[in-house]
Amino acid sequence: MQPAPVRASSALPTVLPTTLSVRPPSVGGALRALEGLLMRGGQRTARRNAWTAVLEDRRRAKDRREAQHVLEAVAAPGPQAT
């Protein structure tokens, strides 16, 4: 006796949701997603540039303080102390 041939069953479940409650993305959500996609590679560069700008601002502030100190010392009457 031979076993009965096996046939592929085409009886797949046919239960599918009849209504999909998928809302289209809002404009803000779409922009945030696009920004995330575009900024992913450049975020490191942006942070490095921002930190460089902070350091440069600190250097300029220090230079201004030193220049102010020199100007005040020159303008003050009496013995010159720098």
Side-chain angles (χ1 to χ4, degrees), residues 23-62:
R23 289 183 280 164
S26 66
V27 174
L31 289 175
R32 279 189 295 276
L34 182 62
E35 179 184 26
L37 180 66
L38 294 175
M39 288 298 290
R40 192 176 329 165
Q43 190 173 22
R44 182 180 301 136
T45 302
R47 287 183 183 182
R48 189 181 314 122
N49 289 345
W51 183 245
T52 301
V54 167
L55 295 177
E56 185 65 20
D57 286 345
R58 289 178 181 175
R59 187 192 61 75
R60 273 183 273 172
K62 180 182 173 193

